Amino acid sequence: MTKFVVLTLFTNMFSEFVNTSIIKRAIEKEIVLVDVIDIRDFSNDKHKKVDFPPYGGGSGMVMSCEPLSLAIDFAISKLESDKKDIKIIYMSPRGKLLNYNLSKKIASYSSNYIIICGHYEGIDERIIEEYNIEEISIGDYVLTGGELASEVLMDSVIRLLPGVLSEGSLDMESHTNNLLEYPQYTKPYDFRGRKVPDVLLSGHHKKICEYRNEEAIRITKKYRPDLLNNNYKENKK
């Protein structure tokens, strides 16, 4: 079983995530466990305060070392695994940009993950140094907190785990082999004069496969030509 322990100030943001669609089924099949922990539970402050103004001045608040380190240590103990087998990730704008290949790599790192959701101006730098934390970003923009970003990360990783999706579901989806997915069609056959390509109704599996591959290349060339360049570079290695 692959385990995710999420450290956050807003645990309620994950209630829908763990009870929806593919994630819910993966949890029910005991392929995945998602445990959400409130960092405030580890604050010694009577008001459960966990953030303070930054040293040196500046706007915003920074999450303090003490409650966060206690939360991390508690998460490590809950995973009941050797510390070196646990991957700790902090969702951060300065982190490595998440893409399909990184999701695959993360899925193979370990079966035990701790994900830290920062807020405000982030977390004390010493936490990152102390726990050798990997920083990951989901894009070149800033969110209010790391909760949504952590859900994106978990979703992208969980769907790659064996047994989560049906066999063959990942074979031709977007970003597999550095191509976007070919166009999809379903009923009705004729929608306002726009008809489903006849080859898809032919029953000729080889021709359908060839058509879809050609369309995947066309779509990628139109929308993401950089992926084709990546494909070329990988094939030259």
Side-chain angles (χ1 to χ4, degrees), residues 20-128:
T20 305
S21 188
I22 290 169
I23 306 301
K24 180 181 179 180
R25 293 199 296 271
I27 292 171
E28 289 174 344
K29 291 163 71 174
E30 298 186 350
I31 298 172
V32 172
L33 172 69
V34 179
D35 195 0
V36 183
I37 294 174
D38 191 338
I39 299 169
R40 289 189 182 89
D41 290 343
F42 299 88
S43 173
N44 292 322
D45 181 82
K46 65 179 181 179
H47 301 295
K48 295 300 180 182
K49 189 175 179 63
V50 298
D51 57 306
F52 299 90
Y55 280 125
S59 61
M61 306 287 273
V62 177
M63 200 177 299
S64 176
C65 286
E66 291 180 346
L68 186 50
S69 64
L70 290 172
I72 293 172
D73 292 341
F74 178 73
I76 290 172
S77 68
K78 285 202 73 173
L79 288 171
E80 297 178 345
S81 177
D82 191 309
K83 192 172 181 179
K84 66 182 180 181
D85 294 327
I86 298 172
K87 191 70 180 176
I88 305 178
I89 297 170
Y90 169 48
M91 307 310 300
S92 163
R94 75 183 190 188
K96 189 181 298 182
L97 192 62
L98 183 67
N99 58 25
Y100 186 77
N101 288 331
L102 181 55
S103 293
K104 286 200 299 184
K105 187 177 180 181
I106 293 170
S108 65
Y109 274 160
S110 167
S111 294
N112 299 283
Y113 302 90
I114 296 172
I115 302 178
I116 302 170
C117 302
H119 217 71
Y120 314 116
E121 296 304 311
I123 67 176
D124 193 300
E125 186 72 18
R126 291 167 293 181
I127 285 288
I128 297 170

Side-chain angles (χ1 to χ4, degrees), residues 140-218:
D140 294 332
Y141 48 87
V142 178
L143 298 172
T144 304
E147 284 73 22
L148 293 175
S150 71
E151 291 180 352
V152 169
L153 173 66
M154 286 189 287
D155 193 296
S156 73
V157 171
I158 288 171
R159 64 194 317 280
L160 297 174
L161 298 174
V164 172
L165 296 180
S166 58
E167 188 174 349
S169 295
L170 299 173
D171 291 347
M172 288 296 290
E173 70 172 1
S174 291
H175 301 291
T176 302
N177 300 321
N178 285 320
L179 291 174
L180 298 180
E181 189 172 5
Y182 48 79
Q184 297 279 14
Y185 302 88
T186 188
K187 296 180 178 181
Y189 166 70
D190 189 331
F191 173 68
R192 299 179 181 177
R194 300 175 185 273
K195 299 177 181 179
V196 176
D198 290 337
V199 65
L200 299 177
L201 307 174
S202 68
H204 195 302
H205 296 299
K206 183 179 179 182
K207 287 184 177 179
I208 291 173
C209 185
E210 290 172 349
Y211 165 80
R212 285 176 165 171
N213 188 60
E214 290 170 0
E215 283 295 287
I217 293 172
R218 181 184 68 81

